[in-house]
Amino acid sequence: MGWVNTLLYPAVLVAIFLGGQALGAPPALAAVPALLALVVSLPWRVKQLWGQTQPWISLGVVAPSSKALFKALLRGLIKALLLLIFLLIGLLLTGQIQWQPALSPGLLLNGLVLGLGVGFAEELLFRGWLMGELEFRFAGKSGLALVVQALIFSLAHTRFNLPLASLLGLLGGLTLLGLALGLQRRADGGLIWGAVGLHGGLVGGWFVLNQGLIGQQEANPIGSLLAWLPLLLLLGVRRRWW
């Protein structure tokens, strides 16, 4: 029943999310009850299954100090900024985008809220719960847990109606990002806030770029070689935490 239990847990959360959408709620609102269910149920699950008496510390949410939390968050945000700059320069040099500035305070605020919301929710689920759950199930095989969580993260975010080349590029890029986020948590001593900054910074930053500076691009840039290269470099820098 162990692995069945692990599979059923996210399935219930997804069902709550899909149920909200079926009732006509937009994705952002439909995600709220699923997120609440995650936040309420996770501490109990970590106590009962993992045998941890301080679940929020085990999940990487509670830091030893506010300084440690903000340092980890800032490190993640800086990495996200550098990755976006590399990507933006590459897209400009290859003529794939043009400047179409239309920034506004509202757009920047939307990008901030989107980045923090998506970054925290997904990192709590994937790097907080899933990676910890896999390490528990694989009994010390931390490298295997890291790879499997990255593959699941990739599959959960991929659009399977794409042409084969685009699909493989997206799967590969998302897997590299999942590995980078997992290694970021390990490099931060188990805190998820560096991964929140990296993930949220990429999501919010790309939203602002896409909506306010370069015009709307339909393709996810994570599937391009321009994104693969800096992610591979980041993985190389983080290799000691595999």
Side-chain angles (χ1 to χ4, degrees):
M1 284 295 293
W3 281 104
V4 173
N5 186 297
T6 298
L7 293 172
L8 283 177
Y9 184 64
V12 171
L13 297 174
V14 171
I16 294 172
F17 171 69
L18 294 177
Q21 285 193 310
L23 293 173
L29 288 180
V32 172
L35 178 59
L36 289 175
L38 175 68
V39 171
V40 170
S41 62
L42 256 186
W44 177 85
R45 182 179 182 85
V46 170
K47 284 182 178 180
Q48 297 298 316
L49 183 61
W50 300 3
Q52 299 293 330
T53 58
Q54 296 179 301
W56 291 115
I57 292 178
S58 300
L59 291 164
V61 176
V62 173
S65 66
S66 57
K67 182 179 179 181
L69 188 155
F70 285 111
K71 281 180 68 176
L73 183 64
L74 182 60
R75 284 194 293 267
L77 288 170
I78 290 172
K79 290 183 180 68
L81 177 61
L82 293 175
L83 287 170
L84 286 171
I85 289 174
F86 184 95
L87 177 64
L88 188 59
I89 291 173
L91 291 173
L92 285 170
L93 290 177
T94 55
Q96 298 182 52
I97 57 172
Q98 293 181 341
W99 286 113
Q100 299 178 21
L103 284 176
S104 67
L107 179 65
L108 293 173
L109 180 61
N110 284 342
L112 177 63
V113 172
L114 177 67
L116 288 176
V118 171
F120 177 74
E122 294 206 358
E123 289 313 303
L124 180 60
L125 178 62
F126 287 101
R127 257 58 61 180
W129 167 71
L130 179 61
M131 197 161 82
E133 185 97 0
L134 291 172
E135 288 173 346
F136 172 79
R137 295 294 182 193
F138 288 135
K141 297 178 181 178
S142 59
L144 180 59
L146 178 70
V147 172
V148 173
Q149 66 83 25
L151 291 172
I152 294 173
F153 174 76
S154 175
L155 291 170
H157 288 80
T158 297
R159 294 164 50 197
F160 288 93
N161 60 341
L162 297 172
L164 182 59
S166 299
L167 175 61
L168 293 177
L170 187 57
L171 281 169
L174 287 167
T175 300
L176 293 176
L177 178 59
L179 290 171
L181 291 167
L183 292 174
Q184 182 66 49
R185 181 183 177 185
R186 290 182 178 175
D188 289 328
L191 293 178
I192 66 168
W193 293 102
V196 170
L198 175 54
H199 190 167
L202 290 174
V203 170
W206 179 250
F207 173 81
V208 171
L209 287 172
N210 202 22
Q211 301 289 325
L213 287 176
I214 62 174
Q216 296 190 33
Q217 311 292 313
E218 292 187 7
N220 190 332
I222 199 72
S224 70
L225 185 61
L226 291 172
W228 280 43
L229 290 175
L231 285 171
L232 286 169
L233 177 61
L234 182 57
L235 292 180
V237 172
R238 287 276 182 255
R239 63 186 180 276
R240 60 176 287 197
W241 283 281
W242 276 78

